[in-house]
């Protein structure tokens, strides 16, 4: 009997979701837990986005605008590019999948770093492609090594900037040197889910490189805009690249409430600014407290922090859950000694530190 699926599907490891708060509380018999595991905005969405959802919820019996016409108009005005150079997706994850389906054939290669966003590996393998994985250097993409790994079989290169789970960034000079080494037929995917949190002037904004190169910039409304539950993201590239992605995009892939919420969120710069401030203040607090505890960490440009637990990170994760603090263990990223914690509200950051002190002191 022939196998139901090819080996590259059978051998995939499913993405491990984090536990919902309700399940943690049921399992450990606790209440009032906090979730600092998924890099969500602790402020939640803009009130303008919530109001937009409420105004439109009665119309959900209608199919959504299949072209995201009005949201594309608003984004085009914001970004200063024509609508024909962008695509909207059910989260930026869907656009990653579209990119792989469109440009990578079975046996083709995709170059990426590890640890980085693990979904790249999963989607490439599911398409029958070959993952060419380069280790990070000082917790950062080693662009020199990645460029050296590009061969005649390479079709895609993924760069997560800032990187998840380390929060590090590549700088302009090294990125431009890397781009200059890319063959004309290799597409570089700049996954910039956390770019709004970056203040470093040497950050290479992916939008600056899409005009004369095969560069795709991916953005999301899940992080700083606080719309993770609605699943909406977008990609920007040349008209040719976008035209191919549109050919395989499913109709009505972005729901109507996500579209109106995203448009409203774009109009609330105050919410974005407050989110950046809350994150910056939270990181300052966490750095000081972790230094006092003698715990190492990777300085971040995002809204999360990778912390070295000097031992078994999974064990500390379990003990923190018992105290109602949900963080992310890093075993799947081959960082078994580490935890990743999302920067929360001041009271959440304080509770995390207090729980961490109790757990690490036994």
């Amino acid at each position: 009997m022939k196998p139901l699926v090819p080996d590259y599907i059978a051998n995939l490891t499913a993405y491990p979701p984090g536990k919902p708060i309700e399940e943690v509380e049921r399992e450990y018999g606790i209440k009032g837990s906090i979730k600092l595991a998924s890099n969500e905005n602790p402020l939640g969405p803009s009130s303008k986005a919530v109001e937009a959802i409420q105004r439109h919820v009665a119309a959900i019996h209608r199919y959504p605008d299949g072209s995201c016409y009005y949201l594309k108009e608003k984004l085009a005005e914001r970004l200063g590019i024509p609508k024909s150079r962008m695509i909207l997706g059910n989260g930026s994850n869907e656009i990653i999948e579209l990119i792989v389906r469109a440009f990578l054939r079975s046996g083709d290669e995709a170059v990426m770093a590890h640890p980085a966003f693990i979904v790249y590996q999963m989607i490439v393998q599911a398409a029958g492609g070959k993952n060419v994985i380069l280790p990070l250097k000082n917790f950062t993409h080693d662009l020199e090594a990645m460029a050296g790994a590009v061969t005649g079989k390479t079709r895609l290169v993924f760069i997560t900037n800032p990187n998840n789970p380390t929060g590090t960034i590549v700088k302009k000079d090294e990125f431009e040197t890397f781009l200059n080494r890319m063959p004309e037929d290799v597409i570089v995917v700049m996954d910039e889910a956390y770019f709004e949190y970056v203040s470093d002037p040497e950050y290479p904004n992916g939008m600056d490189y899409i005009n004369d190169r095969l560069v795709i910039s991916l953005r999301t409304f899940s992080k700083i805009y606080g719309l993770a539950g609605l699943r909406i993201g977008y990609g920007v590239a040349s008209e040719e690249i976008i035209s191919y992605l549109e050919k395989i995009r499913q109709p009505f892939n972005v729901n109507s409430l996500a579209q109106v919420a995203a448009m409203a969120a774009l109009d609330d710069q105050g919410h974005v600014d407050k989110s950046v401030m809350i994150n910056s203040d939270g990181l300052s607090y966490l750095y000081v407290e972790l230094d006092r505890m003698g715990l190492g960490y990777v300085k971040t440009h995002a809204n999360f922090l990778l912390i070295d637990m000097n031992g078994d990170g999974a064990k500390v994760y379990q003990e923190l859950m018992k105290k109602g603090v949900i963080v992310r263990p890093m075993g799947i990223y081959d960082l078994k000694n580490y935890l990743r914690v999302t920067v929360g509200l001041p009271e959440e950051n304080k509770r995390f530190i207090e729980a961490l002190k109790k757990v690490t002191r036994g």
Side-chain angles (χ1 to χ4, degrees):
M1 179 179 176
K2 291 183 179 180
L4 291 175
V5 297
D7 287 345
Y8 56 79
I9 297 292
N11 295 330
L12 270 173
T13 300
Y15 183 83
K19 287 189 176 184
I21 289 179
E22 295 81 3
E23 177 60 20
V24 172
E25 293 184 338
R26 184 201 64 78
E27 185 176 340
Y28 292 103
I30 55 179
K31 294 182 179 180
S33 299
I34 58 171
K35 184 185 176 190
L36 301 174
S38 300
N39 305 340
E40 297 147 337
N41 187 333
L43 288 176
S46 160
S47 60
K48 292 183 179 180
V50 174
E51 291 166 4
I53 292 170
Q54 292 170 339
R55 288 195 303 271
H56 288 81
V57 72
I60 58 173
H61 61 299
R62 305 291 186 190
Y63 282 105
D65 170 13
S67 67
C68 296
Y69 181 88
Y70 295 109
L71 177 54
K72 280 186 177 179
E73 266 198 344
K74 186 174 283 288
L75 278 171
E77 182 180 356
R78 172 71 63 92
L79 299 174
I81 59 172
K83 293 186 292 184
S84 56
R85 301 196 64 176
M86 66 180 68
I87 185 169
L88 274 292
N90 184 18
S92 54
N93 274 36
E94 184 193 19
I95 304 175
I96 295 169
E97 190 154 10
L98 293 176
I99 291 167
V100 171
R101 286 177 56 203
F103 299 112
L104 188 134
R105 303 166 185 82
S106 181
D108 286 346
E109 296 176 352
V111 175
M112 64 200 69
H114 180 75
F117 191 35
I118 203 162
V119 167
Y120 311 141
Q121 295 182 36
M122 297 171 63
I123 295 176
V124 168
Q125 183 176 333
K130 178 183 178 182
N131 288 305
V132 178
I133 302 170
L134 283 300
L136 299 180
K137 184 177 181 180
N138 298 323
F139 294 98
T140 306
H141 282 61
D142 187 346
L143 293 187
E144 183 176 359
M146 292 176 71
V150 171
T151 71
K153 293 184 177 180
T154 305
R155 293 294 171 263
L156 300 169
V157 179
F158 290 97
I159 299 174
T160 325
N161 207 38
N163 185 41
N164 178 16
T166 61
T168 54
I169 62 171
V170 299
K171 302 293 183 75
K172 284 182 181 179
D173 287 349
E174 59 183 323
F175 178 67
E176 291 174 1
T177 298
F178 165 84
L179 275 185
N180 288 333
R181 293 182 61 183
M182 288 300 99
E184 292 183 353
D185 60 348
V186 171
I187 294 174
V188 177
V189 182
M190 289 287 285
D191 190 346
E192 301 180 292
Y194 303 94
F195 87 98
E196 291 98 342
Y197 290 104
V198 181
S199 59
D200 192 319
E202 292 305 307
Y203 175 75
N205 187 327
M207 290 290 300
D208 294 337
Y209 301 93
I210 62 173
N211 286 326
D212 57 352
R213 300 178 186 274
L214 294 183
V215 174
I216 304 174
S217 172
L218 299 182
R219 305 285 173 85
T220 183
F221 287 91
S222 293
K223 303 306 178 183
I224 206 162
Y225 289 106
L227 300 178
L230 289 177
R231 308 305 300 126
I232 180 166
Y234 61 99
V236 182
S238 69
E239 290 188 6
E240 181 182 12
I241 286 176
I242 296 300
S243 71
Y244 295 136
L245 299 181
E246 287 286 4
K247 290 176 185 291
I248 60 173
R249 177 183 64 82
Q250 293 295 308
F252 311 123
N253 63 322
V254 179
N255 73 75
S256 55
L257 298 184
Q259 292 184 42
V260 298
M263 285 189 286
L266 287 171
D267 287 333
D268 195 349
Q269 187 60 39
H271 178 264
V272 172
D273 294 342
K274 186 175 181 181
S275 299
V276 171
M277 180 187 69
I278 287 286
N279 189 68
S280 178
D281 291 347
L283 283 173
S284 295
Y285 168 79
L286 291 172
Y287 290 153
V288 169
E289 293 298 325
L290 292 170
D291 285 341
R292 288 173 177 169
M293 296 173 66
L295 291 175
Y297 52 85
V298 180
K299 281 222 167 184
T300 182
H301 294 269
N303 68 333
F304 56 84
L305 190 60
L306 188 67
I307 304 173
D308 187 352
M309 300 313 305
N310 296 324
D312 188 351
K315 182 178 179 181
V316 177
Y317 157 74
Q318 292 288 345
E319 293 301 314
L320 286 172
M321 276 209 298
K322 294 176 184 178
K323 298 185 180 301
V325 177
I326 308 171
V327 297
R328 191 71 161 171
M330 289 285 100
I332 191 173
Y333 289 97
D334 295 323
L335 294 168
K336 65 180 182 178
N337 293 335
Y338 289 78
L339 294 176
R340 192 192 67 197
V341 59
T342 306
V343 181
L345 297 172
E347 58 270 23
E348 293 174 325
N349 298 329
K350 183 177 180 181
R351 181 170 170 186
F352 162 69
I353 290 295
E354 290 174 349
L356 188 61
K357 287 178 179 178
K358 292 177 182 177
V359 167
T360 54
R361 290 172 183 170

